[in-house]
Each structure stands twice: as structure tokens, then as C-alpha cells.
Amino acid sequence: MYKRNQYKIWGFALLYMAYSSCKIPAIVQKNENKSTPNTYANSGSDTTNLAAIKWKDYFKDQYLTNLIDTALQNNQELNITLQEIEIARSEVRARKGELLPSVGIRAGAGLEKVGRYTSQGAGDATTEIEPGKEMPDPVPDFMAGLYANWEVDVWHKLRNAKKAAYTRYLSSVEGKNFVVTNLVAEIANSYYELLALDNQLAMVRKNIALQSNALEVVKLQKEAARVTELAVRKFEAEVLSSKSLEYQIAQQITETENKINFLLGRYPQHIARNVNSFDSVADQFPVGIPSQLLANRPDIKQAELDLIASKLDVKAAKAQFYPSFGITGALGFQAFNPSYLVKFPESMLYSIAGDIAAPLINKNAIKASYFAANAKQTQAVYQYERTILNAYIEVANQMASIGNLKKTYDLKDKQVQALNQSINISNDLFKSARADYLEVLMTQRDALEAKLELIETKKQQLNAMVKIYQALGGGWN
């Protein structure tokens, strides 16, 4: 009767545990939207894509590719990211280890003195280990053995945690690829900025030479009483202004070189470059179709993997509501005298036990973990969709920028040609006293500004060439 009641109690306990574990709070999960437009604006359905070109083939300048090669070896941010990959790989190993039994070795020694008038003390006093040899008092204790415990992963809690860790490892790899893409683009943009500054510096120095010649002419005219001292001072001030601009550009060149050196992980030194690369702007930029972004852009693939990992986290958190099953065991030898440890099987000890545990009351911590995991999963969905949208907009912006910059450059080029002609005309008119010196100065100033803007527009074209390649997902391969 007693055993029957005991079985009933255990049965009711197991049923209540099963019921309480199955009663899981309901949540609303959000599914991601992977759809993209079929084509980009003003583009066809050609699948030829810049992103398929390796960066060594995309950038033709050998000096630039050498810089990128050095950066991929020495850049500190990239090396920090590589260590994050190692951290993620170690997490995978840790999660994989949780699936296996935990086995350890244990050894110890102790001394115990119990009261004579206790059950244990009385028993020890009347016990003979061997004829005529009583138990020692106090009793030493020596033990050596193996112990193990294992959680049986019935609900795939540990498996899902391991899959989540592995997915995050893959995500860290894509994160590294994204860092590489940005690094390649940043070096290329800085390199073209350096070439632009070189051209601007050469233009300013050429302009200083022209202004200096004009200043000498004005000085001669002043001696001939054709102009006043005011004209001389105005021309002199313009020369000084251009010389000041020369030093400003020289400082920008130094800072840009040092920026590149920093990206390369080295101390300041001269950056070798090919000045002829400044005029090499590609005419065609095949962008493919928007759906290719999902496969080409590392940040999109990283966001997708983070989303998969967050879904696995929800499953692992959900399994916390279910009963857990564990098995523990031990095997070894124990005796009060080290010489008895080798006596088999008298000194042998072993144990094996199984247990089941499930949360019954006050499951707030488990619920909180479950709701937090779901919130992170929803957050990952929005982040994934946001990354896709951002990638599409980046490509669309750069496509528009390439077209508009080409038109801007053509107009700026015509403006420079017109102002160059204006300089010659104003000089001739000034020499014949048919134009004021201020007109000459303003024409020279406008021409210099237009030439500098033309160089800046060319730099923006080169930057757009880099950015469209980056936006499409090129640069990491």
C-alpha cells in the first residue's frame, strides 16, 4: 500500500512537471522580408556585376594595390576583427563540449574523529578490518577516482545553442569581410584624394608663377605711371594668398599620407603614387540586379546569419521550460589506509544516478530570458531588412552620382576653358589700358577656383567608382 501511494505521488509529480513545462508563454514572432525590386532605376536586367571582380583586377594602379596588400596584413582594426573570429570559434568549441559528458578525476585525503557514543563511533569501535585489528581512531580517509555528469539533450537546448554559436562564428567571418571591403575602399579613396591634392598643388604653383609674372608687369607699369601703387599691392596680395593656399594643400597632403600610413599600420613615410592614375575613370559600371546584393554584400550576409542565430536562441530559451535530464556517476577507490586502496573489490566505490528537474514556481527568470531572446530575434529581423534597404539605396545613390558627376565634370571643363581664354583677353586688355587691374585679378581668381573645382570633381568621380564597387559588395574577395 505504501509503495502504491509512493508511486502515485511520483506519478502526480511527473505529470505536474510535464504540465508546467508545457505551459509556455505565447509570443508573436516576426518573419523577415527578403524581397527587393527586380531592377535598379534606369538599369536593365543584365546580371553582370562589378562585385564579381576581385579588387586586384578592379584597381589597375600597382601602387594602390601594393598599399591595399600591406593594409590587409598590418591594419590593426582588421587584426582585431580576426581575433573576434577566434573568440567566436572558441565559443563553438565550448558549446560543443557541453553536449559531451563531463569527466574528471578526483583525489583527496582527510581525517575524521567521531564521538564514541554515536552510531558511527560505536560501529567503528566494534569493527575489525582484520582479525585482531580494529578501526583506527581517528579515521583517515584516502580516495581516488573518476566522476562524470551528463545532461541528456532531449529538447535540443544544447544543440541549438551550439548551432547558434557556430552561426555567429560564420557571422564574424562575414564581419571580417565587411571590414576588408571598407578598408579597401577607404585606402582607395584616400589614395585618389592624395592624387587630387597633388594636382591641386601643382595647379596652385603654376598659378603662383603666372601671378608673379603679372606682378612684375604691374610693377613696370607703375614705374611708367600707368597704374598706381594700389594695383601693385593688390597683385602682391593675390600672390601671397596663393602661396598661403599652397601651404594649406601641402598640409593636407601630409595628413592624407599619414592617414594612409595609419591604415597600413605603419609610421609616417612617403606614399609612392602614380599621378597618371588620376585621369583613369571607367566608363561602364555594370551593377547587375538588386537580388545579387543578398549574396555579394558581407554586411547583408552577416545580418542574415545573426538572424538565424537569434532564432536558434529562441529555441534554446524555450527549452528551458521543459524538464532537464541528467546522469551522474563515479568510480574509484577509497580506504582509511593507502595500502588498502589496491585491495579489489573491497576498496572499490561506484555510483550512478539519474535525475529529472523542471521549473514549477517562480519561472520569471526563464520567462524573461525567453522574451528577451524573442525581442532580440525581432530586432535582428529589422536589422536584416534595414541592411538590405540601406544596400539598395547606397547603390542607387552611387549610380545617380556617377551620371551627375560626369555631367558636372564636362561643364566644369568648359568653364575652365572659358576662364583660361578670359585670362588671356583680360591681360591683353590690361596691357592696352582697356581693362582695369581688378578685372584681371578677378579673372585669375575665378580661373584658379574653377581649376581646383575641376580637380575636386575628378576626385569625386574616382571616389564614386570606388563607392559603387563597395556598395555592390566588391572588395573583400
Side-chain angles (χ1 to χ4, degrees), residues 319-372:
Q320 295 284 351
F321 290 96
Y322 300 140
S324 61
F325 300 90
I327 299 174
T328 58
L331 176 65
F333 300 91
Q334 186 174 18
F336 63 80
N337 190 315
S339 62
Y340 290 156
L341 289 175
V342 296
K343 289 191 175 183
F344 184 83
E346 289 83 357
S347 62
M348 183 178 180
L349 68 87
Y350 60 87
S351 67
I352 186 168
D355 63 80
I356 178 171
L360 297 179
I361 303 173
N362 192 13
K363 296 186 289 185
N364 288 334
I366 299 176
K367 289 180 181 178
S369 176
Y370 182 47
F371 284 123

Side-chain angles (χ1 to χ4, degrees), residues 50 52-69 184 187-188 191-192 195 272-286 462 465-466 469:
L50 282 177
I53 303 175
K54 295 184 177 180
W55 64 262
K56 285 189 176 181
D57 298 325
Y58 187 72
F59 299 109
K60 306 297 184 182
D61 190 333
Q62 186 63 44
Y63 290 105
L64 175 56
T65 56
N66 289 341
L67 292 173
I68 295 174
D69 259 332
V184 169
I187 291 174
Y191 182 79
Y192 291 134
L195 295 181
R273 57 254 198 193
N274 180 8
V275 294
N276 296 325
S277 294
F278 192 68
D279 297 323
S280 58
V281 178
D283 296 327
Q284 300 295 327
F285 298 93
L462 291 167
M465 182 181 75
V466 175
Y469 181 58

Side-chain angles (χ1 to χ4, degrees), residues 6 106 117 127 179 210 234 241 314 407 456:
Q6 192 177 32
R106 181 181 296 162
Y117 301 110
T127 300
V179 171
L210 294 175
K234 283 285 187 180
S241 175
V314 173
K407 296 174 183 177
E456 180 67 22

Side-chain angles (χ1 to χ4, degrees), residues 144-325:
L146 299 174
Y147 66 93
N149 59 73
W150 180 38
E151 181 179 351
V152 184
D153 192 26
V154 177
W155 315 112
H156 287 198
K157 177 182 67 175
L158 300 179
R159 285 184 179 86
N160 286 327
K162 186 200 77 171
K163 290 179 182 177
Y166 180 71
T167 306
R168 287 194 170 89
Y169 160 71
L170 297 178
S171 172
S172 67
V173 174
E174 294 300 336
K176 183 268 296 183
N177 292 339
F178 188 57
V179 171
V180 170
T181 298
N182 291 336
L183 180 61
V184 169
E186 190 171 5
I187 291 174
N189 284 329
S190 299
Y191 182 79
Y192 291 134
E193 181 180 357
L194 195 57
L195 295 181
L197 290 170
D198 287 341
N199 278 269
Q200 288 180 339
L201 183 61
M203 186 62 64
V204 168
R205 286 174 174 171
K206 183 178 180 181
N207 193 69
I208 290 173
L210 294 175
Q211 289 176 335
S212 298
N213 291 333
L215 176 60
E216 295 302 320
V217 172
V218 171
K219 286 181 178 179
L220 293 175
Q221 289 185 338
K222 189 258 181 183
E223 292 176 0
R226 296 181 60 185
V227 296
T228 64
E229 181 68 17
L230 178 61
V232 175
R233 295 304 178 192
K234 283 285 187 180
F235 272 86
E236 187 178 7
E238 201 68 21
V239 173
L240 294 174
S241 175
S242 296
K243 287 184 178 180
S244 174
L245 180 59
E246 176 187 10
Y247 289 112
Q248 292 177 20
I249 296 175
Q251 176 62 25
Q252 291 177 342
I253 289 175
T254 299
E255 291 179 0
T256 304
E257 282 189 322
N258 288 341
K259 177 184 177 181
I260 295 175
N261 283 316
F262 176 77
L263 294 173
L264 269 58
R266 67 189 188 188
Y267 287 97
Q269 58 182 273
H270 175 70
I271 300 295
R273 57 254 198 193
N274 180 8
V275 294
N276 296 325
S277 294
F278 192 68
D279 297 323
S280 58
V281 178
D283 296 327
Q284 300 295 327
F285 298 93
V287 296
I289 56 178
S291 60
Q292 292 175 320
L293 291 173
L294 276 65
N296 294 335
R297 293 251 320 200
D299 57 336
I300 293 180
K301 291 191 284 186
Q302 183 181 21
E304 183 181 14
L305 290 167
D306 287 339
L307 175 57
I308 295 172
S310 67
K311 290 180 178 179
L312 291 168
D313 287 339
V314 173
K315 292 181 179 180
K318 185 177 181 180
Q320 295 284 351
F321 290 96
Y322 300 140
S324 61
F325 300 90

